[in-house]
Amino acid sequence: MLALVCLCAVLTGCAKPPQRLDQSATPNAQELAYAAKSGVTAPIAVANEPPKTVDRVRTASINDDAGFTARLRGGLAGRSLSIETQSDIKLAKGEVVITFDDGPRPGKTDKILQILDQYNAKATFLMLGQAAQKHPGLVREVAKRGHTVGLHTHSHGDLTKLNLVAALAEIERGRQPLVAALSPINKSPAPFFRFPYLAQTQKLRTAVNNAGLVIMDVQIDSKDYYQDGSQAVLDRTLKRLEAQGKGIVLFHDIHQRTVNMLPDFLAELKARGYKVVSLVPDRQLQLRSNTLLAQSN
């Protein structure tokens, strides 16, 4: 019982949606019942396309053996995809984009970076401004390792509860700590954005796009915010990935179960012939977004 209380106390992130868009990642009745029993409300799923209206666990300890690392390198590295608009995110069968929300979190994000390095895989980290303020060095470390840093608002608020001006202001407020953290190494956050709780309306999507941001939708939701073990997260994610054959995968770099699961997930990707695609912003997108977002609020 004490362990369950502790788990509930630390469970944060995308776990309390206000509404849902009916998409392929929408949980079934059994998943919703499980979530209700566990005191967790699953986040809404993001459309694969813009919505028309308003899814044997090794530990995360790092093996520093040079031979082990050498065998893994090159196995998962896919192409680097330059993004100017959302339509540029076109994945072939067998290609995945790995994303992490809600960080950075010491003791979690740094371990995830080590694991990704072992498999030579690059990911996109959609960070909260308030977390970046607390851990700017960890923001820089993510960027130094060659990963993409994107936006996830400042405090993980539900933007559907705000008017458009306030919603864009919350996004900009979250961007500023990332700018401050990355400027010492002459880098800046990518104009990639994911809605907290994946909660959105068509008006919000349009406003965010008009502000020069590319929305990071989700095709494979690991639901790692459920109070499952690492094996359950692994099995669920691989099952959904196999059904889709490709797509953007959503994890959170704030849960130990995700850290524990990640080595086996990457090993399975390698064994099944998948490649991990790195998303990077086109230069013109970067320049345009820096101006438009500030002007929008």
Side-chain angles (χ1 to χ4, degrees):
M1 180 61 73
L2 179 58
L4 179 59
V5 171
C6 293
L7 279 172
C8 292
V10 299
L11 185 62
T12 59
C14 301
K16 189 185 66 173
Q19 63 182 71
R20 180 178 298 278
L21 295 174
D22 186 15
Q23 298 296 332
S24 60
T26 302
N28 58 34
Q30 182 179 5
E31 290 174 324
L32 290 173
Y34 174 84
K37 181 179 179 181
S38 303
V40 177
T41 305
I44 68 169
V46 169
N48 293 338
E49 298 177 354
K52 295 180 180 180
T53 61
V54 205
D55 154 322
R56 151 188 77 90
V57 174
R58 186 183 305 135
T59 66
S61 59
I62 304 301
N63 186 337
D64 291 323
D65 177 73
F68 174 75
T69 302
R71 289 195 299 273
L72 294 178
R73 289 195 181 279
L76 280 179
R79 60 192 174 119
S80 181
L81 194 55
S82 180
I83 305 300
E84 184 176 2
T85 68
Q86 194 162 13
S87 62
D88 292 329
I89 308 178
K90 295 179 179 178
L91 302 178
K93 185 176 181 180
E95 290 186 327
V96 298
V97 174
I98 298 176
T99 66
F100 295 92
D101 285 8
D102 296 357
R105 178 74 60 86
K108 307 292 192 305
T109 306
D110 46 337
K111 291 180 179 178
I112 285 172
L113 291 176
Q114 294 178 62
I115 297 167
L116 291 171
D117 275 356
Q118 284 191 336
Y119 286 83
N120 199 22
K122 302 303 180 186
T124 297
F125 290 77
L126 289 311
M127 296 185 177
L128 295 175
Q130 62 183 11
Q133 279 183 329
K134 294 178 181 178
H135 313 294
L138 197 47
V139 177
R140 287 190 287 274
E141 188 61 29
V142 170
K144 287 178 181 179
R145 301 284 185 104
H147 304 286
T148 300
V149 174
L151 316 177
H152 198 42
T153 74
H154 183 75
S155 58
H156 206 279
D158 172 14
L159 298 189
T160 67
K161 304 291 186 182
L162 305 176
N163 62 44
L164 293 181
V165 172
L168 291 174
E170 169 65 9
I171 298 173
E172 173 63 12
R173 183 185 174 205
R175 188 178 75 95
Q176 289 304 319
L178 295 174
V179 171
L182 292 173
S183 60
I185 58 172
N186 296 316
K187 292 183 178 293
S188 59
F192 299 160
F193 173 74
R194 179 169 287 151
F195 288 98
Y197 310 112
L198 307 180
Q200 61 193 273
T201 65
Q202 185 58 59
K203 286 185 178 180
L204 267 174
R205 286 183 71 94
T206 300
V208 169
N209 282 325
N210 289 343
L213 301 179
V214 172
I215 298 169
M216 290 289 108
D217 285 338
V218 176
Q219 287 81 51
I220 298 107
D221 187 351
S222 70
K223 298 187 184 296
D224 57 352
Y225 44 83
Y226 279 2
Q227 296 179 54
D228 287 331
S230 299
Q231 186 68 53
V233 176
L234 175 66
D235 293 343
R236 178 167 55 241
T237 306
L238 289 173
K239 180 179 179 180
R240 293 180 176 181
L241 178 56
E242 286 295 285
Q244 296 270 357
K246 61 181 180 180
I248 300 176
V249 183
L250 168 61
F251 293 119
H252 297 80
D253 54 325
I254 60 173
H255 301 308
Q256 186 60 44
R257 67 181 72 89
T258 304
V259 179
N260 293 344
M261 172 278 309
L262 190 59
D264 278 329
F265 176 70
L266 296 177
E268 282 295 328
L269 289 186
K270 185 173 184 292
R272 299 182 190 198
Y274 284 93
K275 292 294 184 180
V276 177
V277 173
S278 173
L279 300 184
V280 295
D282 178 90
R283 175 174 169 77
Q284 293 303 314
L285 171 64
Q286 188 77 61
L287 293 174
R288 187 169 66 251
S289 66
N290 290 343
T291 300
L292 290 177
L293 182 59
Q295 291 177 344
S296 298
N297 54 83

